[in-house]
Amino acid sequence: MIIVDTALQKRQEEGNPVRVAMVGAGFMGRGIALQICSYVPGMELVAISNRTIEKAGRAYEEAGVTEVQEVSSVSQLENNIREGRPSITDDAMLLCQAEGIDAIIEVTGAVEFGAKVALAAIQHKKHIVLMDAEVDGTVGPILKVYADKAGVVFTNADGDQPGVTMNLYRFVKSLGVKPVLCGNIKGLHDPYRNPTTQEGFAKKWGQQPSMVTSFADGSKISFEQAIVANGTGMRVARRGMLGPTVPSGTPLKEAMDLYPLEELLEGNGIVDYIVGAEPGPGVFVLGTHDHPTQKHYLNLYKLGEGPLYLFYTPYHLCHFEAPLTAARAVLFQDAALTPLGKPTVEVVAAAKTDLKAGDTIDGIGHYMTYGLCENADVRRTQNLLPIGVAEGCILKNDIPKDQVLTYDDVILPEGRLIDQLRKEQDEHFWGRQLVANDQPSSVSQGD
């Protein structure tokens, strides 16, 4: 049921727009700015923050907004909001702290910084929309706890594949069909890709090579499917997911039998992906129904005889849809995708190449590691290292290619919020778990 458009139109007619701010003005951020400023009635983009402030100005300029003002204080920003003057800043915390902002859209893709923005926004009673599966997949469950206590919405975004998947999941479930697999359609998966191999593609589309690499090496899809699992209670069939590959262009319906039927029909279902199938880059849900009459109707409606029924969305339109998530949060207190509770799936770090003791691990989508989905209970019992905390860690010993890292293999950097939130997450959902460099801490007042 589509109701967001009419609710936004009403806000437009009342002269009471939903006021959002955005952190991050890269490739995706510029698209969001254009969409809000030009095509979303009843919503205003009141401020953009970016560490390179010129890029924040560029995002507004490309969206047709030329009269902007740089601000360096909360009072300046709040005054601009009251007067309807867009603001730019290199201090994201101003956006989190200022009155007059309903929701913040975080579009950086950075784990440590993104977590700081999300937590600060929540603590200042703002809804937070993440186009940052890496943050959500690393500390989303504990951020959801903070958001619930603050009375705000913590959500991933419509338009990104996880949000599209969750919309489809909710639709399928509303029909009385039981979802048993939430799937993602990929065109490529090679865990050994790196920024050098992806440089040409990144340049063609104006994106960062590391971001493009995170898609190619499987890290991004691991985060995306992890947060879908955490929003549905599903698990993975095995570490890394099944991920069958089919000849390019194979209709998705012809690939359904590549998944284990008996396993799908048991438990709460699984998240997974497929490489090469069409319609890419869409998402799909496999569901079941146990009522013979309803099964007869499903067959009449060309979904087949079962026991699995295929539902899919053939596209995801990232920046076009993301503003609608902010509207859902502000107008209806509805999340596109948010953790149910404790994590069911996490993303662990595996060595992309042979790693040496003393090396400092680089970032997601770089040269040293790639991400793999693993069930959260296995992650805990084996003390595996989430890739969301791997960057900046120093290796204690050599790690061979493709081996999964553990906390025992690394020295954590000191003073990071992401590690404090990870500790709180484990304590909140499972009780205390000791890890490398473990020190008592609290983030109840932020970092």
Side-chain angles (χ1 to χ4, degrees), residues 122-165:
I122 290 167
Q123 291 176 328
H124 289 88
K125 309 293 185 180
K126 292 177 175 58
H127 304 297
I128 179 73
V129 177
L130 291 180
M131 291 200 76
D132 195 334
E134 293 83 353
V135 170
D136 200 342
T138 304
V139 292
I142 193 64
L143 289 173
K144 173 62 159 51
V145 171
Y146 275 100
D148 287 347
K149 290 180 180 178
V152 297
V153 173
F154 170 84
T155 178
N156 216 267
D158 291 281
D160 261 2
Q161 282 173 302
V164 177
T165 301

Side-chain angles (χ1 to χ4, degrees), residues 98-401:
E99 295 291 334
I101 295 174
D102 299 310
I104 290 179
I105 305 176
E106 198 279 324
V107 206
T108 68
V111 178
E112 173 73 3
F113 181 71
K116 289 181 179 179
V117 170
L119 184 60
I122 290 167
Q123 291 176 328
H124 289 88
K125 309 293 185 180
K126 292 177 175 58
H127 304 297
I128 179 73
V129 177
L130 291 180
M131 291 200 76
D132 195 334
E134 293 83 353
V135 170
D136 200 342
T138 304
V139 292
I142 193 64
L143 289 173
K144 173 62 159 51
V145 171
Y146 275 100
D148 287 347
K149 290 180 180 178
V152 297
V153 173
F154 170 84
T155 178
N156 216 267
D158 291 281
D160 261 2
Q161 282 173 302
V164 177
T165 301
M166 195 63 188
N167 289 337
L168 183 60
Y169 171 91
R170 288 172 64 174
F171 167 74
V172 171
K173 195 173 180 180
S174 74
L175 300 178
V177 177
K178 178 186 176 182
V180 296
L181 186 148
C182 287
N184 197 318
I185 306 169
K186 287 179 60 68
L188 168 70
H189 180 210
D190 178 358
Y192 311 118
R193 295 294 178 104
N194 60 52
T196 301
T197 65
Q198 304 310 113
E199 186 175 4
F201 185 90
K203 184 176 181 180
K204 175 182 177 181
W205 294 104
Q207 296 179 277
Q208 292 293 326
S210 59
M211 179 61 71
V212 173
T213 301
S214 72
F215 285 95
D217 72 9
S219 299
K220 178 68 76 170
I221 195 171
S222 295
F223 275 114
E224 291 181 340
Q225 295 307 85
I227 65 176
V228 170
N230 293 339
T232 60
M234 291 184 172
R235 295 167 61 84
V236 291
R238 69 181 186 197
R239 181 177 297 170
M241 299 180 283
L242 300 171
T245 298
V246 297
S248 181
T250 299
L252 187 58
K253 190 172 184 178
E254 295 180 9
M256 290 168 53
D257 60 359
L258 297 176
Y259 296 101
L261 179 61
E262 290 186 6
E263 187 165 351
L264 294 183
L265 298 179
E266 299 176 356
N268 293 324
I270 65 171
V271 295
D272 217 286
Y273 68 96
I274 191 167
V275 179
E278 291 291 341
V283 303
F284 64 99
V285 170
L286 298 181
T288 66
H289 208 300
D290 59 6
H291 195 288
T293 302
Q294 298 292 57
K295 292 169 72 173
H296 178 75
Y297 279 117
L298 289 169
N299 193 18
L300 171 68
Y301 300 143
K302 310 305 181 186
L303 268 69
E305 297 181 354
L308 295 180
Y309 301 98
L310 172 65
F311 303 82
Y312 61 86
T313 302
Y315 47 75
H316 65 291
L317 304 174
C318 298
H319 79 274
F320 288 93
E321 297 184 69
L324 302 179
T325 317
R328 288 172 64 175
V330 175
L331 300 175
F332 302 106
Q333 292 72 53
D334 183 48
L337 171 59
T338 195
L340 285 177
K342 69 179 180 181
T344 56
V345 173
E346 300 200 60
V347 185
V348 299
K352 191 175 285 189
T353 187
D354 292 337
L355 305 178
K356 300 299 181 183
D359 286 349
T360 299
I361 300 176
D362 57 14
I364 297 168
H366 284 78
Y367 294 88
M368 298 175 71
T369 62
Y370 60 90
L372 292 171
C373 277
E374 180 57 275
N375 289 314
D377 52 356
V378 176
R379 203 287 307 163
R380 292 185 64 252
T381 57
Q382 297 184 12
N383 204 28
L384 302 180
L385 183 71
I387 195 172
V389 306
E391 183 176 1
C393 292
I394 299 173
L395 289 168
K396 294 180 181 178
N397 42 265
D398 294 350
I399 303 293
K401 183 179 179 179

